Amino acid sequence: MKTIHLFKFKDTISLKIPFFKESYGLETLNDLMKYDLLDTEKVTEFIIETQDDCNLEDRSQDDLLKICESADETIDHYFVIAVGEDDIL
């Protein structure tokens, strides 16, 4: 068995986390509430135990979504994307 991580951002599921600046990640729900006036994006990480021979490279988004539904654990990551007029992405 191996552990895989899939990331859902908006309607896309991928093997890699979207390219947000890590320094703009919010660590806790309290951080999110402090910054409720800022634009934030949520990325959900799905942690899944799967067979060693599982290959996700050529799977459709629907297939990946079904795999995510069987996740053992999920983690929501929040990122600040804009402060005032400056984009942070």
Side-chain angles (χ1 to χ4, degrees), residues 3-15:
T3 301
I4 59 171
H5 298 256
L6 293 174
F7 299 90
K8 182 179 180 186
F9 174 63
K10 297 192 179 192
D11 293 329
T12 303
I13 298 172
S14 65
L15 295 169

Side-chain angles (χ1 to χ4, degrees), residues 32-40 82-84:
L32 180 61
M33 289 170 27
K34 286 181 201 174
Y35 297 105
D36 65 349
L37 298 176
L38 302 174
D39 289 333
T40 58
V83 178

Side-chain angles (χ1 to χ4, degrees), residues 22-56:
E22 188 172 326
S23 62
Y24 293 109
L26 302 174
E27 297 295 322
T28 66
L29 184 57
N30 287 339
D31 287 344
L32 180 61
M33 289 170 27
K34 286 181 201 174
Y35 297 105
D36 65 349
L37 298 176
L38 302 174
D39 289 333
T40 58
E41 289 289 352
K42 179 173 113 175
V43 176
T44 303
E45 178 180 2
F46 297 91
I47 302 170
I48 304 157
E49 292 291 325
T50 186
Q51 298 296 323
D52 288 336
D53 61 350
C54 180
N55 182 2
L56 301 175

Side-chain angles (χ1 to χ4, degrees), residues 24 38-39 80-88:
Y24 293 109
L38 302 174
D39 289 333
V80 177
I81 60 164
V83 178
E85 299 176 11
D86 299 330
D87 280 339
I88 295 177

